Amino acid sequence: MGISSSGTAMTVAPDELGTPGDQLGKGGEATVFDLPGLTYPDVAGALVYKRYRNGHDSPQSLRRVVMARAGLDAAKRARLDAVTAWPVRVVEEHGQAVGIVMPRIPDPYFDQVVRNAGVKKSLREVQNLFIDPARALKVGRPAPTDEERLRICLDFAAALAFLHDELKIVFGDINPKNAVFRLDDRPMVLFLDCDAVRPTGVVAHVRQLDAPDWVPPEGGKLTLATDHYKLGLFVLRCLTPGAYSSVGTDPAAAAGALDAEGLALLRRALGDPSDRPSARDWEIHFRLLLGEAVAPPRLGEVDVDRAFVLGGRPVTVEWEALEAREVELVAGTRTVRVDGRPGKGSTPITLDESGWITVRAVNDLGVDVREVGPVTVAPLPESSPLPVPVPDVHLPHTFAPPDLRLLPLPAIDVRVELPDPHPDGGRPAPWPPMPAPRAVGFPLDLRAMLTDSPEVDLGSHEGEGTGR
């Protein structure tokens, strides 16, 4: 029995799988059954049993594939599970490999397809990307937009780059039926039939075959170079759907779908084996074309504006992040997420209690984490009402407030006698004569103005106040 470095068994017997459930699929070499009662601590989600029709000639090669996953750290293992239906156990009986256990393909990779016999659930294989979009819609298949097709190509290249660079794996039999796609989430591509892969530099015990119309021009054994050729074919055919797209090999057909740099990559991919771009080259090209990050995020300077705050009041975290799609602040049970694409920013967050603030920069390629603080949260001072004594007024039991509407009011005589303004019966005295109006010049001559008045004699007061 194979054991991983973590102590997990890599091989199991058929009777350790429990009672198989429904048959989920059937091909020329194997049948797939649901395993509703089986779970493993290192695998998330439902599992299935792929039982080989005639067994497998090399149990050792299957164990090597399973061990490749078991040797990854948690983050890389999650990445592998997101882009492949990777074998997680080898099923052995009497020393022969009779099948594998692998994750069940999620529902978004299936369509409800209209057929002559009715509607049937069917895998959304990448070969459906090559047909005319109108024909795809007619039978219940999706018709991705031009941008979605570019993202599918990106995720196809990124998954292959992960297998090549991180697991040192040659996929080998890349064909239109052993990868499926989805449009509702990322990653958008899932590779199937991963039990046929092999490490680079290791001779396959079972000859890997090429699917029709996916045969490299150089022939021979399958290598990284043949993987790169088939990746080029996928890009060409995914971006140019329609008649004869599934057999197309002319890079000029993609002139309307790729820029000049992309066309140059495609010509190299379908040409000399020694000059073909890697899957990582394609991944970087599509990321730049779509405005996505090309490297894991990296946090720069991160700081908090204060170390002491009253409860219920926020603090502000200033951050710098490179290649981040999103910046996330976590303080206790509180989480704040903001757009990380500007590269720097300041974000408020309220702490429930004293402690550190975790800052995460996130994109599709990874996470960078930093902690700032600590921040001391002081409780707000408690307030309580101050009692004010009220005098106790004792009223007699017979006291009742009077009804003011019933009180008698004194009679009031509203007649007012006004004095006679002319008691002698005469007429009012006339106003004294006023000087005739005349034009006034500036500056004003007060002396001249006053001398015109008959009531004022300036001559008898001349010199007063002047010292003469």
Side-chain angles (χ1 to χ4, degrees):
M1 178 178 291
I3 303 293
S4 73
S5 58
S6 61
T8 302
M10 295 293 98
T11 60
V12 294
D15 59 5
E16 296 179 69
L17 303 180
T19 302
D22 296 336
Q23 178 179 310
L24 303 177
K26 185 176 182 180
E29 298 182 358
T31 304
V32 178
F33 296 92
D34 189 22
L35 293 174
L38 185 66
T39 61
Y40 291 136
D42 60 317
V43 184
L47 298 167
V48 298
Y49 174 32
K50 180 179 180 179
R51 187 176 69 191
Y52 298 128
R53 185 179 303 276
N54 299 313
H56 194 279
D57 293 338
S58 179
Q60 182 58 36
S61 66
L62 288 177
R63 294 191 200 108
R64 190 182 294 117
V65 170
V66 172
M67 293 291 288
R69 176 185 180 276
L72 298 174
D73 61 35
K76 291 181 179 179
R77 189 182 306 146
R79 170 67 176 161
L80 179 66
D81 291 347
V83 298
T84 68
W86 198 265
V88 296
R89 300 291 189 274
V90 181
V91 183
E92 293 189 14
E93 187 175 32
H94 308 303
Q96 183 183 26
V98 295
I100 56 171
V101 178
M102 62 185 188
R104 181 170 179 168
I105 301 171
D107 284 342
Y109 292 105
F110 289 85
D111 286 319
Q112 297 295 326
V113 178
V114 178
R115 300 190 185 277
N116 293 335
V119 178
K120 180 182 178 182
K121 186 176 181 180
S122 178
L123 272 175
R124 191 185 289 173
E125 296 162 339
V126 295
Q127 65 179 342
N128 294 287
L129 293 166
F130 310 152
I131 65 177
D132 184 274
R135 179 184 169 196
L137 290 172
K138 187 175 181 180
V139 298
R141 300 286 190 185
T145 65
D146 291 344
E147 181 175 331
E148 287 173 332
R149 289 178 181 275
L150 290 173
R151 295 190 186 280
I152 290 170
C153 288
L154 163 57
D155 286 0
F156 194 102
L160 202 55
F162 181 81
L163 297 179
H164 289 173
D165 300 341
E166 296 294 338
L167 272 71
K168 310 301 180 185
I169 287 293
V170 173
F171 194 87
D173 188 19
I174 297 174
N175 70 60
K177 296 178 68 68
N178 67 5
V180 291
F181 71 98
R182 65 191 297 173
L183 299 177
D184 63 326
D185 200 4
R186 304 287 297 274
M188 302 173 77
V189 175
L190 186 78
F191 279 84
L192 312 179
D193 294 337
C194 300
D195 46 338
V197 306
R198 63 176 178 82
T200 56
V202 174
V203 177
H205 292 278
V206 179
R207 185 174 182 271
Q208 295 172 299
L209 302 177
D210 296 304
D213 302 314
W214 290 75
V215 181
E218 65 269 25
K221 68 178 183 179
L222 302 183
T223 63
L224 286 177
T226 62
D227 275 8
H228 296 157
Y229 174 80
K230 294 177 182 181
L231 171 57
L233 284 184
F234 174 80
V235 170
L236 170 64
R237 295 169 182 181
C238 177
L239 298 181
T240 59
Y244 305 110
S245 174
S246 62
V247 297
T249 58
D250 183 4
L258 288 172
D259 58 10
E261 183 180 349
L263 282 174
L265 287 173
L266 188 56
R267 291 189 187 98
R268 290 171 50 204
L270 302 180
D272 184 352
S274 65
D275 190 42
R276 290 171 184 161
S278 69
R280 175 64 174 161
D281 291 336
W282 276 111
E283 179 188 0
I284 292 173
H285 173 74
F286 283 120
R287 286 190 181 280
L288 293 174
L289 191 64
L290 292 164
E292 296 192 6
V294 298
R298 182 167 54 85
L299 284 169
E301 184 175 353
V302 179
D303 199 9
V304 63
D305 67 339
R306 66 193 70 183
F308 180 91
V309 69
L310 289 175
R313 300 292 181 85
V315 296
T316 298
V317 176
E318 295 185 356
W319 51 265
E320 293 180 343
L322 182 67
E323 295 282 354
R325 183 191 72 242
E326 182 179 79
V327 171
E328 179 183 84
L329 310 182
V330 180
T333 60
R334 295 179 182 259
T335 299
V336 177
R337 296 180 178 88
V338 296
D339 188 353
R341 290 173 294 182
K344 61 173 59 178
S346 57
T347 306
I349 187 169
T350 302
L351 287 76
D352 294 323
E353 58 185 16
S354 300
W356 296 79
I357 301 172
T358 301
V359 183
R360 294 189 178 97
V362 182
N363 68 21
D364 294 336
L365 303 178
V367 179
D368 193 16
V369 182
R370 190 85 54 81
E371 285 192 333
V372 292
V375 177
T376 300
V377 179
L380 291 172
E382 295 183 2
S383 61
S384 57
L386 180 64
V388 178
V390 178
D392 188 8
V393 179
H394 296 280
L395 299 175
H397 294 292
T398 58
F399 175 81
D403 188 346
L404 297 180
R405 293 174 300 176
L406 303 180
L407 295 178
L409 298 176
I412 300 176
D413 189 351
V414 298
R415 291 174 299 172
V416 179
E417 297 291 339
L418 298 176
D420 188 353
H422 309 294
D424 56 356
R427 297 179 64 82
W431 286 94
M434 300 296 290
R438 63 187 179 85
V440 179
F442 291 91
L444 298 178
D445 186 348
L446 296 179
R447 181 179 182 85
M449 293 172 65
L450 293 175
T451 54
D452 289 339
S453 174
E455 303 296 329
V456 180
D457 183 7
L458 295 178
S460 60
H461 301 282
E462 187 175 359
E464 288 186 11
T466 63
R468 291 185 295 177

